[in-house]
Amino acid sequence: MSQNIYLSNYEFEDALEFYFSKINIEKSKECIKSEESIDRITAEPIYSEISSPFYNSSAMDGIALKNEITLGANEKNHKILEEGKDYIVVDTGDPIPKEYDCVIMVEDLIKLADNKVEIYKSAASFQNIRPLGEDIVENSLIIPSGHKIRPVDIGAMLAGGVNSVEVYKKPLVGIIPTGTELVEPGTTPLKIGDIIDFNSRTFAAQVFQYGGIARRYSIVKDDYEIIKTTIKKAVEECDIVLVNAGSSAGREDFTSKVIGELGEVYIHGVAIKPGKPVILGKIDNKPVIGIPGYPVSAYIIMEQFVRRIIEEFSGEKNYEYKIIKGVLSRRIMSSLKHLEFVRVKLGKVGEKLIVTPLNRGAGAIMSLVRADGILEVPQNIEGIESGTEVEVKLLKDENEINNTIVCIGSHDPILDIVADLIHVQNKEYYLSSAHVGSMGGIMALKNSETHIAPIHMLDMETGEYNKSYIKKYLKDKDIALIKCVKRIQGIMVPKGNPNKIASISDIWSKKLKFVNRQRGAGTRLLLDYNLKRLNINPREIEGYSREEYTHLGVAAAVANGDADCGLGIYSAAIMMGLEFIPVCNEEYDIAIPREFLEKPMIKEFIKVIKSHEFKEKLDYLGGYDYSEAGNIILL
Amino acid sequence: MSQNIYLSNYEFEDALEFYFSKINIEKSKECIKSEESIDRITAEPIYSEISSPFYNSSAMDGIALKNEITLGANEKNHKILEEGKDYIVVDTGDPIPKEYDCVIMVEDLIKLADNKVEIYKSAASFQNIRPLGEDIVENSLIIPSGHKIRPVDIGAMLAGGVNSVEVYKKPLVGIIPTGTELVEPGTTPLKIGDIIDFNSRTFAAQVFQYGGIARRYSIVKDDYEIIKTTIKKAVEECDIVLVNAGSSAGREDFTSKVIGELGEVYIHGVAIKPGKPVILGKIDNKPVIGIPGYPVSAYIIMEQFVRRIIEEFSGEKNYEYKIIKGVLSRRIMSSLKHLEFVRVKLGKVGEKLIVTPLNRGAGAIMSLVRADGILEVPQNIEGIESGTEVEVKLLKDENEINNTIVCIGSHDPILDIVADLIHVQNKEYYLSSAHVGSMGGIMALKNSETHIAPIHMLDMETGEYNKSYIKKYLKDKDIALIKCVKRIQGIMVPKGNPNKIASISDIWSKKLKFVNRQRGAGTRLLLDYNLKRLNINPREIEGYSREEYTHLGVAAAVANGDADCGLGIYSAAIMMGLEFIPVCNEEYDIAIPREFLEKPMIKEFIKVIKSHEFKEKLDYLGGYDYSEAGNIILL
């Protein structure tokens, strides 16, 4: 229960400068075959060793001859020439023997019998000859140093007789995963407490993209001596060593101590978030970096430190992120204590590119998978106001962003199906959905942050779905509803229904442990509606305050035995192997500003939810009625 | 001497559409390890197989316990708990046993002796617990189909228990070089008539970049049956087959006949330039393409046809060219008979991006190496006027273009040295030079197409260099001169000086074969100046009309015995192993608009020509006097 890390808080730029001054990287070179040099960086300027062509050749089909014997030929005074004696026949590309100095093309010859031709024009020296060195002259520059080799460069090198080329060596990057709880992917059975080592594989792929060569070491358990031996070995074998330290305090201190013992730790703690507890050190003149265990922290350290080191070795930036401008959809608060890298979703809704910050926790790798970009909030500011124009580093193709339907609102697994079908059926388009509940979707429409909002909101007075909420909250917008599905909501319980639940009132009467959805979720409204109808005080439901963000999240909690039951849709219960007690049918519809109905990508969306393929997948999931899917209701 | 190709002239778009409708590509899939899937395209949506975390774990260092035993604890009413009986100690990340449902963090505990703690707050269910599925819930979508896998996607897949992934197979592309004259790179000695097979290596690198896997077959000589056998074998083994047909008419017909015999030729001849004689066919339902032999034609066919086919197989575009806008510096004429792909140089001179067309011949691979972009001139227009805004497909990084010193004018090998040193000494900057002679440089300055123009122009009246030309041709510009080098011009002759040349007059009096420089070159002016002085009629010099564009080109012609002598600089003669008879010292200077002297990249240029490294390389070449290098003369 001890916690004793005293980390420094170096400003990011200072840390970079200080660390790079200490590690002082020297590029090393290697000689490789030119034909295998694609994408490598030249370490020297490359000069041709031979000319191309390396002999004079014919530029035409025709005859090669000495120009002097053509002198005097003209329209009035034709000359007759004899093959073998006066000329030879040549095709395009054929070498021109030394004794000849020009070519007359076949179109300018009058053919006679007996291997003779008649000419009616004189020829100039070197006429129709492709001279030696026309493409490349011996000893001339083909490509400069520091140049990334492209396919045409390979062609030019080989044509110029350059069969091997001096390039910067790709650094070998050793990756050491440490942690007694780590297990290899694919380990079965997984035991409670195991952590799958996915970080080291993510690092390896990053190293590859940055232009390095990754060498992963086997998982090292938390043992000071074994860690020390492994780091020593890796330093001997590699150019750069990364130690993935796990996220717990004790263990990070461990790595730092080993690096300090074998070499030097320059910095432990940089004023960035995520990624603060990074360890920047050196052993035997090689960079050794301790990388925090949380996947997002690790990603930022890889991008901000490791990438730069690899590029320094390999001679050039391997790729650049595009920076684009957008408008922040909601306020970001940030501390003066650090530079923060905020993951964002991007959406071209109307004219503006809308930038919406995502979950800022460092533990969720899915937040990186879902992110469209990274927004940097500088250390010296306390936050950025909503509506501000900001610059975002793109993690996806800009085209993809512009052709993505932004979908913010209630969650249903069918959204994943729609997203997949849209892209499969029309490669140009994408759908990206954020699950913030029906009310969140309504608010996103209000703020013009989304194209569409899937909602299922029961009016407690009328029993009608969706319309009254749109009228109430979006009165100054012209909103339409695209009918989507009726779906069965019900109580999810473990197989066999051990608590014999028959209705919502049983949750209260049997004092069962419940798992709820987040505030603003339509499913939560449904529960509240029923509790009110039954006159049950929500406080008397154990677990009412425990919030999950998706149907699957609720189903997983029930499946794991953390709760006795939860409210959700049929398909999620079935996916998790649960039993399902139907409560009601509800209308899950898509709210959309009327103007967007004309957008080609929205038309594609409607086409998809009307399609046979979509309905087939819904039948497979079960619990959906799609008879009205795609109908449009103007409000 | 027969020439009987009757090529069709399909419009490009029609040809694409027609051919793709005929070959009807079906993607095939393969299952690979997730950790090796970087940059591959998913063929299915990827759903998680387990939750991550797959058990409830502690989000804090503290104690895990049942929340019910904390009820009633408050500031006034502390509760004492006992380890083992009431709670267990947990660190961040530790699993929470089933019997516990909350964590109190260490900061909220009062430690007592005897494994007891005191609490002063009650705890809620699931407080400080990172629930199962917080990052990824079992059965939820990780990445959609048609998605290019990134490092974070690999991490998320492994975290979600997805250890293998269905991706589109990369097509195997067979490359068959044909031609009796072809030899492998590295063949020694090369014989007159040999052609180094560099095309097939360029293709292999292109296939790699497009996302395919290349399989090169050995060179096949021009023998109908052997070509047929090889194509048959390649079709059996590969998904796509490319036959590099050589450029001669007869041989192309050969490939076409073989494809026709084994399968079907749909198109032979498309209205594009370069690349017209492409053969688009199919054998056993696999695309088989005959690619012209000229390297630029081949490049265009690879880009316009083969690339699209590979992308169709592999599921997604592997990379996109950036399109930028610029202003055309000189008129391009083009025929209504074809869509033309014109290689261009780009330069940010002043505010505008200047687009300058390069050599349009299809035979020079160096024109592709030197090109910064490709400008497409549509089939339905006859040309583009100078000054028109045009769109250019970038072949280099935009940043590189913007940070490149454009240098148009007279050639000297030292320009390659400067280009290399600039980039080595300041990674940000580049120098790109085009060799059009001194007068071409003056004209480029006049048209604001260049930053700097290296010139060496002798005033025949005064014997002074450069200044009078600037005053005459650039009177409305404010031009400065950066002094560069004095260099020795002289007569280049073969080793041993077989014709005993002592001076320029000998070329005339001994009736020797000369090789000249192009019109506008300073070296040509120097010759003319001397001929005039000697009262020699240029027409009486044999080879006066044979033009080379560089000193090295002249030296190569002399070295090859195509000419007895030529005029040029000392360093070029020495590089080619020639002997050198000095004629005069001349001043090779850099003309520059005065305003550009303030540009950081020009300052870097001046720094380089003043540098020790530069002078060292000049000493190595020999024949240069750099005592004034870098001095600025305002005119």
Side-chain angles (χ1 to χ4, degrees):
Chain A
M1 237 196 281
S2 75
Q3 195 189 26
N4 54 359
I5 6 166
Y6 300 101
L7 298 186
S8 58
N9 199 43
Y10 264 90
E11 283 201 20
F12 175 63
E13 294 293 341
D14 296 347
L16 265 186
E17 196 183 319
F18 179 60
Y19 186 51
F20 272 81
S21 76
K22 289 297 182 187
I23 53 178
N24 186 24
I25 291 158
E26 271 183 47
K27 293 183 185 61
S28 49
K29 300 171 186 179
E30 63 181 331
C31 192
I32 62 171
K33 286 175 84 173
S34 302
E35 63 181 80
E36 290 163 5
S37 66
I38 184 75
D39 290 341
R40 302 296 295 271
I41 311 292
T42 51
E44 303 285 349
I46 308 300
Y47 290 91
S48 57
E49 294 177 11
I50 55 173
S51 294
S52 176
F54 58 88
Y55 47 84
N56 299 323
S57 64
S58 180
M60 293 286 175
D61 293 345
I63 60 171
L65 64 171
K66 279 196 180 77
N67 87 302
E68 54 195 48
I69 65 166
T70 71
L71 299 179
N74 57 42
E75 288 289 350
K76 285 187 180 163
N77 189 19
H78 292 202
K79 278 201 167 189
I80 294 178
L81 306 175
E82 194 182 328
E83 186 170 349
K85 180 170 158 277
D86 299 317
Y87 68 86
I88 58 163
V89 175
V90 287
D91 280 332
T92 305
D94 282 352
I96 304 293
K98 286 277 179 204
E99 56 269 37
Y100 301 125
D101 69 356
C102 68
V103 167
I104 300 178
M105 62 180 177
V106 69
E107 291 84 346
D108 290 341
L109 299 174
I110 301 166
K111 275 199 200 176
L112 306 174
D114 300 337
N115 297 330
K116 285 182 182 167
V117 295
E118 215 173 290
I119 59 167
Y120 47 88
K121 279 199 256 194
S122 65
S125 179
F126 272 79
Q127 166 185 305
N128 293 329
I129 288 182
R130 192 174 175 223
L132 169 149
E134 188 191 60
D135 190 355
I136 302 171
V137 180
E138 192 181 326
N139 285 321
S140 61
L141 184 76
I142 299 178
I143 43 175
S145 64
H147 174 85
K148 189 169 180 175
I149 296 169
R150 302 162 300 170
V152 292
D153 301 324
I154 292 177
M157 284 193 282
L158 297 177
V162 180
N163 298 313
S164 62
V165 57
E166 197 83 4
V167 295
Y168 290 120
K169 221 171 145 179
K170 292 182 176 212
L172 184 61
V173 183
I175 300 169
I176 306 174
T178 72
T180 306
E181 71 289 1
L182 289 185
V183 297
E184 297 293 346
T187 299
T188 45
L190 285 167
K191 298 187 313 295
I192 297 296
D194 287 349
I195 293 179
I196 296 171
D197 169 38
F198 61 86
N199 270 348
S200 73
R201 273 81 178 178
T202 310
F203 298 170
Q206 285 179 295
V207 165
F208 167 78
Q209 283 198 331
Y210 301 156
I213 298 169
R215 172 176 295 179
R216 276 195 314 102
Y217 289 84
S218 302
I219 294 165
V220 180
K221 61 179 182 179
D222 294 320
D223 176 300
Y224 189 89
E225 286 306 321
I226 303 181
I227 292 177
K228 189 168 136 189
T229 312
T230 311
I231 292 181
K232 251 173 118 164
K233 180 165 183 281
V235 167
E236 270 163 33
E237 295 174 347
C238 305
D239 300 304
I240 305 168
V241 175
L242 311 179
V243 186
N244 191 211
S247 59
S248 89
R251 217 172 313 138
E252 276 186 358
D253 248 4
F254 229 36
T255 305
S256 170
K257 266 185 218 148
V258 174
I259 300 174
E261 195 191 319
L262 294 173
E264 200 161 349
V265 170
Y266 297 112
I267 294 176
H268 187 185
V270 174
I272 57 174
K273 185 181 168 184
K276 180 176 165 62
V278 60
I279 302 164
L280 301 168
K282 186 171 87 175
I283 301 173
D284 289 346
N285 216 24
K286 291 175 178 175
V288 179
I289 300 185
I291 298 181
Y294 269 140
V296 186
S297 310
Y299 174 83
I300 296 294
I301 296 305
M302 290 297 290
E303 281 287 303
Q304 299 299 327
F305 289 95
V306 179
R307 182 182 174 168
R308 284 181 166 91
I309 295 171
I310 291 176
E311 285 169 352
E312 195 69 24
F313 269 100
S314 59
E316 202 84 346
K317 286 203 165 132
N318 213 40
Y319 62 97
E320 300 243 27
Y321 293 103
K322 191 162 183 187
I323 307 286
I324 51 167
K325 287 183 177 170
V327 174
L328 197 61
S329 69
R330 59 191 76 141
R331 188 182 191 189
I332 298 178
M333 299 294 291
S334 178
S335 146
L336 290 174
K337 276 199 294 214
H338 43 245
L339 162 67
E340 187 169 354
F341 299 90
V342 179
R343 285 141 283 163
V344 298
K345 286 297 279 184
L346 299 171
K348 192 77 180 277
V349 180
E351 286 312 296
K352 281 186 285 189
L353 187 77
I354 304 294
V355 179
T356 305
L358 281 166
N359 176 351
R360 287 155 84 182
I365 189 156
M366 279 306 291
S367 71
L368 278 171
V369 172
R370 289 200 194 101
D372 297 321
I374 302 273
L375 166 62
E376 294 186 15
V377 185
Q379 184 171 355
N380 60 355
I381 66 170
E382 289 190 278
I384 306 176
E385 289 303 319
S386 140
T388 308
E389 191 180 78
V390 292
E391 289 193 336
V392 174
K393 205 183 266 182
L394 269 187
L395 299 181
K396 289 189 182 155
D397 187 70
E398 190 175 0
N399 223 15
E400 179 174 335
I401 305 284
N402 291 335
N403 287 311
T404 294
I405 301 171
V406 180
C407 170
I408 301 181
S410 167
H411 169 254
D412 191 291
I414 66 171
L415 291 177
D416 293 341
I417 294 171
V418 177
D420 196 57
L421 286 176
I422 277 198
H423 188 56
V424 166
Q425 291 181 8
N426 193 329
K427 233 161 119 182
E428 214 176 321
Y429 298 128
Y430 301 83
L431 181 136
S432 147
S433 60
H435 311 139
V436 298
S438 295
M439 200 59 211
I442 296 267
M443 288 302 123
L445 281 177
K446 196 177 171 70
N447 298 329
S448 305
E449 290 168 19
T450 189
H451 291 118
I452 59 176
I455 56 173
H456 58 110
M457 301 179 87
L458 177 60
D459 185 329
M460 299 207 194
E461 313 291 311
T462 64
E464 191 191 50
Y465 271 90
N466 301 329
K467 291 180 190 165
S468 65
Y469 286 87
I470 290 175
K471 282 181 188 144
K472 181 167 172 197
Y473 290 104
L474 299 170
K475 41 176 169 284
D476 46 356
K477 297 242 172 190
D478 189 1
I479 302 288
L481 266 186
I482 303 171
K483 294 301 289 176
C484 189
V485 292
K486 288 204 187 69
R487 59 183 195 180
I488 313 175
Q489 286 268 18
I491 305 167
M492 307 183 194
V493 297
K495 266 268 183 276
N497 191 1
N499 294 301
K500 306 285 168 241
I501 301 178
S503 69
I504 287 181
S505 63
D506 286 348
I507 303 171
W508 171 78
S509 61
K510 297 187 178 219
K511 303 208 171 302
L512 299 177
K513 220 192 263 180
F514 187 72
V515 51
N516 206 353
R517 290 289 305 279
Q518 86 279 17
R519 258 153 289 205
T523 304
R524 184 163 174 148
L525 287 181
L526 180 69
L527 175 75
D528 291 346
Y529 172 77
N530 278 285
L531 293 179
K532 192 177 166 193
R533 198 173 51 79
L534 296 164
N535 250 321
I536 297 171
N537 182 347
R539 290 196 181 185
E540 291 173 19
I541 302 283
E542 187 186 343
Y544 181 86
S545 62
R546 182 177 168 201
E547 299 184 345
E548 282 290 338
Y549 278 76
T550 63
H551 295 281
L552 278 172
V554 169
V558 175
N560 192 44
D562 295 339
D564 298 317
C565 59
L567 200 60
I569 56 174
Y570 177 80
S571 58
I574 298 311
M575 270 187 217
M576 286 289 178
L578 299 176
E579 219 153 283
F580 185 80
I581 298 112
V583 168
C584 67
N585 261 294
E586 65 168 14
E587 294 170 41
Y588 182 82
D589 298 326
I590 311 292
I592 180 171
R594 202 164 151 177
E595 56 186 321
F596 291 162
L597 286 171
E598 289 313 305
K599 277 184 174 293
M601 61 187 182
I602 295 298
K603 289 187 171 163
E604 194 65 28
F605 173 83
I606 294 170
K607 218 169 96 191
V608 165
I609 64 172
K610 280 178 159 174
S611 72
H612 178 67
E613 291 87 338
F614 179 63
K615 292 170 180 173
E616 221 168 38
K617 301 221 174 198
L618 262 50
D619 285 341
Y620 178 78
L621 289 177
Y624 294 102
D625 168 357
Y626 44 69
S627 54
E628 291 182 67
N631 294 350
I632 291 167
I633 296 175
L634 303 178
L635 299 176
Chain B
M1 236 196 282
S2 74
Q3 193 189 26
N4 56 359
I5 5 167
Y6 299 102
L7 298 186
S8 57
N9 198 42
Y10 264 89
E11 282 201 21
F12 175 64
E13 294 293 341
D14 296 347
L16 265 186
E17 196 182 321
F18 180 60
Y19 186 52
F20 273 80
S21 76
K22 288 297 181 186
I23 52 178
N24 185 23
I25 291 158
E26 271 184 46
K27 293 182 185 63
S28 50
K29 301 172 185 178
E30 64 181 331
C31 192
I32 61 171
K33 285 176 84 172
S34 303
E35 64 181 80
E36 290 162 5
S37 67
I38 185 75
D39 290 340
R40 301 298 295 272
I41 311 293
T42 51
E44 303 284 349
I46 308 300
Y47 289 90
S48 58
E49 294 178 10
I50 54 173
S51 294
S52 176
F54 59 88
Y55 47 84
N56 298 324
S57 63
S58 182
M60 294 286 175
D61 293 346
I63 60 172
L65 65 171
K66 280 196 178 81
N67 88 302
E68 54 195 49
I69 66 166
T70 71
L71 299 180
N74 58 40
E75 287 289 348
K76 285 188 180 162
N77 189 19
H78 292 202
K79 277 201 167 190
I80 295 178
L81 306 176
E82 195 182 328
E83 185 171 348
K85 180 170 158 276
D86 298 316
Y87 69 85
I88 58 163
V89 175
V90 287
D91 279 333
T92 305
D94 282 351
I96 304 293
K98 287 276 179 207
E99 56 270 36
Y100 301 124
D101 69 356
C102 68
V103 167
I104 300 178
M105 61 180 177
V106 68
E107 290 85 345
D108 289 341
L109 299 173
I110 300 166
K111 274 200 202 177
L112 306 174
D114 300 339
N115 297 330
K116 285 181 182 168
V117 295
E118 214 174 290
I119 59 168
Y120 47 87
K121 278 201 255 190
S122 66
S125 179
F126 272 80
Q127 166 185 305
N128 294 329
I129 288 182
R130 191 175 175 222
L132 169 150
E134 189 190 59
D135 191 354
I136 302 172
V137 180
E138 190 182 328
N139 286 321
S140 61
L141 183 76
I142 299 177
I143 43 175
S145 64
H147 174 84
K148 189 168 180 176
I149 297 169
R150 303 163 300 170
V152 292
D153 301 323
I154 293 177
M157 283 193 281
L158 297 177
V162 180
N163 299 313
S164 62
V165 57
E166 197 83 4
V167 294
Y168 290 120
K169 220 169 145 180
K170 293 182 176 213
L172 185 60
V173 182
I175 300 168
I176 306 175
T178 72
T180 306
E181 72 289 0
L182 291 184
V183 297
E184 298 292 346
T187 299
T188 46
L190 285 167
K191 298 187 312 294
I192 297 297
D194 286 349
I195 293 179
I196 297 172
D197 169 38
F198 60 87
N199 269 348
S200 73
R201 274 79 178 179
T202 311
F203 298 171
Q206 285 179 296
V207 164
F208 167 79
Q209 283 198 332
Y210 301 156
I213 298 169
R215 171 177 294 180
R216 275 194 318 100
Y217 289 83
S218 300
I219 293 165
V220 179
K221 62 180 180 178
D222 295 321
D223 176 302
Y224 190 88
E225 286 307 320
I226 305 182
I227 292 179
K228 189 169 138 188
T229 312
T230 312
I231 292 182
K232 253 174 117 162
K233 181 166 184 279
V235 167
E236 270 164 32
E237 294 173 348
C238 305
D239 301 303
I240 304 169
V241 175
L242 311 178
V243 186
N244 191 211
S247 60
S248 88
R251 219 171 313 137
E252 275 187 357
D253 246 3
F254 228 39
T255 305
S256 171
K257 268 185 216 147
V258 175
I259 300 174
E261 194 191 319
L262 294 172
E264 202 163 349
V265 170
Y266 297 112
I267 294 176
H268 187 185
V270 175
I272 57 175
K273 185 180 167 185
K276 179 175 167 62
V278 60
I279 302 163
L280 302 168
K282 185 171 86 175
I283 301 172
D284 290 347
N285 216 23
K286 291 174 178 177
V288 180
I289 299 183
I291 298 181
Y294 270 139
V296 186
S297 310
Y299 174 84
I300 296 294
I301 296 305
M302 290 298 290
E303 281 286 302
Q304 298 300 327
F305 289 95
V306 179
R307 182 181 173 168
R308 285 181 165 91
I309 296 172
I310 292 176
E311 285 170 352
E312 194 70 25
F313 269 99
S314 59
E316 203 85 344
K317 285 203 166 129
N318 214 39
Y319 62 97
E320 301 241 29
Y321 293 103
K322 189 159 185 190
I323 308 286
I324 51 167
K325 286 182 179 171
V327 174
L328 198 60
S329 69
R330 60 191 76 142
R331 188 181 190 189
I332 298 179
M333 298 295 292
S334 178
S335 146
L336 291 172
K337 276 200 293 216
H338 43 244
L339 162 67
E340 187 169 354
F341 300 89
V342 179
R343 285 140 282 164
V344 298
K345 286 297 280 184
L346 300 171
K348 193 76 180 278
V349 180
E351 287 311 296
K352 282 187 284 189
L353 186 77
I354 303 294
V355 180
T356 304
L358 280 166
N359 176 351
R360 287 154 85 181
I365 189 155
M366 280 306 292
S367 70
L368 278 171
V369 171
R370 289 203 194 99
D372 297 322
I374 302 273
L375 165 62
E376 294 187 14
V377 184
Q379 185 172 355
N380 60 356
I381 66 169
E382 290 192 276
I384 306 176
E385 289 304 319
S386 141
T388 308
E389 191 181 78
V390 292
E391 289 192 337
V392 174
K393 206 183 266 182
L394 269 187
L395 299 181
K396 290 190 182 153
D397 188 69
E398 191 176 0
N399 224 15
E400 180 174 334
I401 305 284
N402 292 335
N403 287 311
T404 294
I405 301 172
V406 180
C407 170
I408 300 181
S410 166
H411 169 254
D412 192 290
I414 65 172
L415 291 176
D416 293 340
I417 294 171
V418 177
D420 196 58
L421 286 176
I422 276 199
H423 187 58
V424 166
Q425 291 181 9
N426 192 329
K427 233 161 119 183
E428 215 175 320
Y429 298 129
Y430 301 82
L431 181 137
S432 146
S433 60
H435 311 138
V436 299
S438 295
M439 199 58 210
I442 296 268
M443 288 302 123
L445 281 176
K446 194 176 172 72
N447 299 329
S448 304
E449 291 169 18
T450 189
H451 292 117
I452 60 176
I455 56 174
H456 58 111
M457 303 179 87
L458 176 59
D459 186 328
M460 299 206 195
E461 313 292 310
T462 64
E464 190 192 49
Y465 272 89
N466 300 329
K467 291 180 190 165
S468 65
Y469 286 87
I470 291 175
K471 282 181 187 145
K472 180 169 172 195
Y473 291 104
L474 299 169
K475 40 176 169 285
D476 46 355
K477 297 239 172 190
D478 190 1
I479 303 288
L481 267 186
I482 303 171
K483 294 301 289 176
C484 189
V485 292
K486 287 204 187 70
R487 59 183 196 181
I488 313 176
Q489 286 268 17
I491 306 167
M492 307 183 196
V493 296
K495 266 270 183 273
N497 192 2
N499 294 302
K500 305 286 168 241
I501 301 179
S503 69
I504 288 181
S505 63
D506 286 347
I507 302 170
W508 171 77
S509 60
K510 297 184 178 219
K511 302 207 171 302
L512 300 177
K513 220 192 265 180
F514 187 71
V515 52
N516 205 354
R517 290 289 306 279
Q518 86 279 17
R519 258 153 289 204
T523 303
R524 183 162 175 150
L525 287 181
L526 181 67
L527 175 74
D528 291 346
Y529 173 77
N530 279 284
L531 293 179
K532 193 176 166 194
R533 200 172 47 83
L534 296 164
N535 249 320
I536 297 172
N537 182 348
R539 292 197 178 184
E540 291 174 17
I541 303 282
E542 186 186 343
Y544 181 86
S545 63
R546 182 176 169 202
E547 300 185 342
E548 282 289 337
Y549 278 74
T550 63
H551 295 280
L552 278 171
V554 168
V558 174
N560 194 44
D562 296 337
D564 298 317
C565 58
L567 201 60
I569 56 174
Y570 176 81
S571 58
I574 299 311
M575 269 187 216
M576 287 289 178
L578 299 176
E579 219 152 283
F580 185 80
I581 298 114
V583 169
C584 68
N585 262 293
E586 65 169 15
E587 295 171 40
Y588 182 83
D589 297 326
I590 311 293
I592 180 170
R594 203 164 151 178
E595 56 185 320
F596 291 163
L597 286 171
E598 290 312 306
K599 279 185 173 291
M601 61 188 182
I602 296 297
K603 289 187 171 163
E604 194 65 28
F605 172 83
I606 294 169
K607 218 169 96 191
V608 165
I609 65 172
K610 281 178 159 172
S611 72
H612 178 67
E613 290 88 338
F614 178 64
K615 292 171 179 172
E616 221 168 38
K617 301 220 175 200
L618 262 48
D619 284 341
Y620 178 78
L621 288 177
Y624 295 100
D625 168 357
Y626 44 69
S627 54
E628 291 182 67
N631 293 351
I632 291 167
I633 296 176
L634 303 178
L635 300 177

